């Protein structure tokens, strides 16, 4: 069922959060679906001194705990022989020689290799240098690919420095900069929706669209990731990467083809067209906040400052909202509002597109209250859906209007769901870069957020709070261009118009 060639996947940081929560479960699901190449080995690399058999128990336990309903012992007995373990210290140069010797065992490890950096961002370059110096990135016996997780740098300059370090050992074609949002089904469905249907194209521009909202809200807090999150914050963690990618897909022109470079060419053009925010306009375009204690699903939860590992005077934002403009012909004057937050009222990722009102309000007398514009809602998670809101006549003798939501949810209940990492791991094994970021995209995204990062890092005295379990700080409405614009909190008609603040 799979076209990927035999290969070895080497996971650095295999005992860490990402490998345990995402990579190993995704690989197990691919095993269950029969999508892993027949000859494929998974070599876990980390500091702990496990033997192969101890590692098998670790993986079996974590899969049983994390996905009890999906754990199938028969699948695990196929999966187990692929799993190997190699202890290594990231700063220890000689251990890369030992790793190379281990990988030279061709009977266990096919020579095509993927090296997955599931380590702390500051270790990416050390590991790649270790691999490069040990000759493990030379493609003489098979291909060598490296997957770099986000964040790629912490600002433009550091991203460029990281890139020049990586480029000493790797060609661009060997690098897979992952943004797991691009592996999500609905995100790809945005492209299908736009480019496989003619219906929307004439409307997809500033003549008809009033504004676009892209939201990612989570009820989770930082879940013990203070060390990373304190230096990142919501703007770097979610907006520079995931949400700007969503914006690029919504706003890009049709590519020449769906080939990776054509797609990435178009995304980069959009990112480069985003109007730079001068430092003196940051407050008009960006808003930050930090969660305080509150209730999440009726449970009392602590505020960000009480989280273990967070500095007592931290002003790291756990909520960020931005207003951006794309200065090109298609989008002139259309605001794109992006927002994300932890410990929010709901888990929800969605793109909501609001259309303008009809040029003449002929049916004013037939409704109560303001006109309802058309909306297109693309739910990314938890519900993958596509909804279009329209006005229709309400049944009855009078001419009254009401809002109807056409639901074109594309996944049926009995159709399998998959995790973004499953798709992306297969793409790496197949050498397909379409859903990975090119360096110019990463740089363009940093250029968008860098001025905000600079201003926020200088303003260290105050940050707006919001109670855990709410929709974020008060006052974010000041980002809106007009007073008939408001955050869309729900994909349903009821509760859509929550003009809470
Ligand atoms: C990660 C961020 O990239 O994305 C996390 O570092 C965030 O902070 C996560 O929670 C959200 O991804 P998902 O797939 O769980 O919505």
């Amino acid at each position: 069922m799979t076209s990927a060639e035999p290969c070895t996947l080497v996971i650095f940081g295999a005992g860490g959060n990402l490998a345990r929560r995402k990579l190993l479960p995704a690989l197990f699901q691919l095993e269950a679906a029969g999508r892993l190449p027949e000859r494929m080995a998974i070599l876990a690399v980390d500091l702990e001194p496990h033997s192969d058999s101890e590692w098998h128990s670790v993986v079996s336990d974590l899969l049983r705990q994390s996905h009890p309903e999906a754990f199938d012992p028969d699948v695990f007995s196929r999966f187990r022989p692929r799993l190997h373990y190699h202890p290594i210290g990231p700063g220890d140069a000689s251990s890369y020689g030992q790793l190379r010797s281990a990988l030279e065992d061709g009977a266990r490890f096919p020579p095509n290799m993927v090296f997955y950096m599931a380590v702390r961002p500051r270790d990416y370059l050390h590991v790649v240098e270790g691999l490069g110096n040990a000759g493990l990135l030379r493609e003489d016996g098979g291909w060598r690919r490296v997957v770099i997780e986000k964040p790629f740098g912490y600002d433009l300059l550091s991203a460029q420095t990281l890139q020049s370090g990586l480029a000493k050992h790797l060609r661009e074609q060997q690098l897979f900069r992952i943004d797991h949002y691009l592996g999500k089904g609905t995100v790809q469905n945005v492209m299908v929706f736009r480019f496989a249907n003619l219906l929307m194209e004439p409307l997809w521009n500033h003549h008809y669209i009033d504004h676009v909202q892209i939201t990612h809200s989570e009820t989770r807090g930082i879940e013990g990731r203070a060390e990373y999150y304190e230096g990142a914050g919501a703007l770097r963690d979610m907006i520079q990467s995931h949400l700007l990618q969503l914006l690029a897909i919504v706003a890009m022109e049709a590519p020449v083809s769906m080939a990776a470079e054509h797609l990435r060419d178009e995304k980069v053009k959009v990112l480069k067209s985003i109007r730079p925010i001068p430092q003196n306009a940051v407050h008009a375009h960006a808003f930050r906040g930090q969660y305080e204690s509150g209730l999440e699903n009726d449970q009392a939860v602590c505020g960000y400052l009480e989280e273990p590992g967070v500095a007592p005077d931290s002003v790291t934002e756990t909520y960020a909202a931005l207003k951006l403009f794309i200065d090109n012909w298609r989008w002139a004057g259309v605001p794109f509002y992006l927002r994300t937050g932890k410990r929010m009222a709901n888990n929800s990722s969605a793109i909501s597109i609001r259309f303008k009102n009809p040029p003449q309000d002929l049916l004013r007398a037939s409704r109560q209250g303001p006109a309802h514009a058309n909306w297109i809602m693309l739910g990314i998670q938890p519900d993958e859906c596509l909804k279009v809101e329209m006005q229709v006549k309400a049944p009855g003798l009078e001419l009254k209007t009401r809002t109807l939501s056409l639901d074109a949810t594309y996944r049926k209940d009995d159709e399998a769901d998959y995790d973004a990492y499953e798709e992306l791991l297969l793409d790496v094994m197949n050498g397909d870069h379409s859903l990975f970021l090119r360096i110019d995209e990463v740089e363009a995204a940093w250029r968008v957020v860098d001025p905000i990062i600079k201003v926020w890092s200088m303003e260290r005295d105050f940050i707006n709070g919001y109670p855990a379990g709410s929709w974020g700080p008060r006052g974010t409405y000041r980002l809106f261009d007009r007073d008939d614009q408001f955050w869309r909190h729900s994909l349903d008609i009821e509760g859509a118009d929550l003009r809470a603040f």
Side-chain angles (χ1 to χ4, degrees):
M1 278 180 82
T2 175
S3 55
E5 299 168 77
C7 66
T8 302
L9 170 63
V10 184
I11 305 178
F12 283 86
N17 210 21
L18 175 71
R20 297 169 75 95
R21 280 190 43 216
K22 296 288 190 183
L23 303 181
L24 290 162
L27 289 162
F28 184 67
Q29 287 305 115
L30 289 173
E31 180 76 87
R35 298 299 300 267
L36 293 181
E38 205 172 304
R39 283 203 61 227
M40 182 203 176
I42 302 168
L43 178 63
V45 176
D46 213 328
L47 301 170
E48 298 288 318
H50 292 304
S51 65
D52 276 7
S53 63
E54 283 166 351
W55 180 242
H56 295 166
S57 316
V58 171
V59 177
S60 148
D61 289 351
L62 85 88
L63 292 174
R64 276 173 214 273
Q65 280 161 18
S66 62
H67 296 71
E69 68 303 335
F71 188 84
D72 178 341
D74 291 340
V75 176
F76 191 73
S77 60
R78 294 205 305 272
F79 193 51
R80 185 174 39 224
R82 301 183 187 275
L83 301 174
H84 306 273
Y85 190 86
H86 184 90
I88 197 172
D92 176 1
S94 69
S95 52
Y96 287 92
Q98 292 159 16
L99 176 65
R100 192 190 57 216
S101 309
L103 287 169
E104 275 163 3
D105 178 354
R108 289 204 299 169
F109 299 117
N112 295 321
M113 291 182 196
V114 178
F115 297 99
Y116 200 116
M117 301 297 123
V119 292
R120 293 174 304 186
R122 74 169 99 116
D123 292 329
Y124 296 158
L125 198 51
H126 296 153
V127 178
V128 168
E129 280 170 351
L131 292 170
N133 295 338
L136 276 165
L137 299 176
R138 273 202 301 272
E139 298 191 290
D140 27 24
W143 46 253
R144 301 295 152 94
R145 297 175 185 151
V146 171
V147 183
I148 303 276
E149 268 289 337
K150 64 152 266 278
F152 194 92
Y154 50 88
D155 58 10
L156 177 61
L157 192 61
S158 61
Q160 288 169 332
T161 310
L162 173 60
Q163 173 59 22
S164 55
L166 296 174
K168 291 190 184 126
H169 299 279
L170 294 159
R171 291 173 300 113
E172 178 68 18
Q173 278 309 97
Q174 291 178 276
L175 264 167
F176 289 74
R177 297 178 198 85
I178 199 163
D179 182 315
H180 79 280
Y181 257 61
L182 296 183
K184 293 186 190 267
T186 311
V187 176
Q188 292 166 48
N189 199 31
V190 177
M191 287 192 262
V192 178
F193 182 56
R194 290 195 54 203
F195 302 133
N197 297 300
L198 191 60
L199 199 64
M200 284 301 148
E201 175 52 26
L203 307 178
W204 212 256
N205 57 52
H206 68 101
H207 293 298
Y208 298 100
I209 292 182
D210 179 77
H211 72 272
V212 177
Q213 294 184 20
I214 303 177
T215 297
H216 170 91
S217 65
E218 297 179 7
T219 57
R220 293 178 293 218
I222 54 161
E223 299 189 304
R225 295 163 75 210
E227 191 195 345
Y228 156 71
Y229 203 84
E230 274 281 85
L235 186 61
R236 289 187 178 94
D237 185 46
M238 288 298 304
I239 293 189
Q240 185 273 342
S241 48
H242 308 320
L243 298 198
L244 281 178
Q245 281 296 316
L246 296 184
L247 173 145
I249 288 174
V250 170
M252 73 187 191
E253 295 301 315
V256 176
S257 78
M258 293 302 277
E261 295 319 319
H262 291 154
L263 270 173
R264 303 197 294 182
D265 286 347
E266 294 307 329
K267 283 197 290 161
V268 90
K269 277 195 227 162
V270 172
L271 294 168
K272 283 183 177 169
S273 313
I274 294 177
R275 188 184 304 163
I277 301 176
Q279 288 197 17
N280 62 9
V282 161
H283 290 296
H285 284 260
F287 202 106
R288 65 178 170 167
Q290 189 183 72
Y291 64 81
E292 296 167 341
S293 58
L295 285 181
E296 200 68 78
N297 299 322
D298 297 330
Q299 301 282 320
V301 293
C302 71
Y304 181 71
L305 295 182
E306 288 90 58
E307 297 278 9
V310 169
D313 57 351
S314 171
V315 287
T316 299
E317 77 286 356
T318 60
Y319 173 101
L322 294 193
K323 172 170 61 182
L324 299 173
F325 288 96
I326 300 172
D327 284 338
N328 64 17
W329 272 37
R330 187 183 283 272
W331 295 112
V334 177
F336 281 69
Y337 300 109
L338 275 49
R339 83 182 148 149
T340 183
K342 293 209 180 271
R343 286 275 185 242
M344 301 270 283
N346 244 327
N347 282 315
S348 163
S349 296
I351 301 166
S352 307
I353 298 165
R354 201 191 103 173
F355 285 77
K356 294 186 172 172
N357 289 319
Q360 202 182 352
D361 195 3
L362 292 174
L363 292 155
R364 183 194 303 247
S366 65
R367 61 157 196 271
Q368 290 171 340
H372 290 275
N374 298 121
W375 286 81
I376 291 182
M377 248 90 55
L378 299 145
I380 296 164
Q381 60 191 35
D383 304 316
E384 294 176 319
C385 66
L386 198 166
K387 293 183 178 179
V388 180
E389 283 176 15
M390 311 199 62
Q391 297 307 303
V392 293
K393 180 188 172 305
L397 293 174
E398 285 112 19
L399 183 60
K400 297 261 183 235
T401 58
R402 74 178 180 202
T403 307
L404 177 97
S405 178
L406 303 176
D407 188 343
T409 297
Y410 74 96
R411 193 165 63 80
K412 300 190 188 115
D413 286 348
D414 59 348
E415 282 174 330
D417 195 8
Y418 64 87
D419 187 80
Y421 278 94
E422 293 173 40
E423 157 111 33
L424 296 172
L425 283 165
L426 276 186
D427 285 353
V428 178
M429 290 188 257
N430 287 319
D432 181 352
H433 277 92
S434 318
L435 301 177
F436 294 83
L437 311 187
R438 211 166 58 190
I439 186 61
D440 49 353
E441 277 182 86
V442 176
E443 291 183 355
W446 279 121
R447 280 197 182 91
V448 173
V449 299
D450 256 13
I452 306 168
I453 290 175
K454 280 207 184 79
V455 170
W456 285 358
S457 69
M458 285 181 306
E459 295 179 350
R460 308 202 56 80
D461 300 337
F462 173 75
I463 180 160
N464 289 283
Y466 61 96
S470 70
W471 274 111
R474 286 179 176 276
T476 59
Y477 63 84
R478 72 164 159 72
L479 295 181
F480 289 120
D481 264 12
R482 290 199 317 270
D483 59 9
D484 68 341
Q485 296 176 340
F486 54 90
W487 292 120
R488 207 42 224 239
H489 294 327
S490 164
L491 303 185
D492 300 326
I493 298 170
E494 296 81 36
D497 185 349
L498 294 179
R499 296 167 200 239
F501 29 76

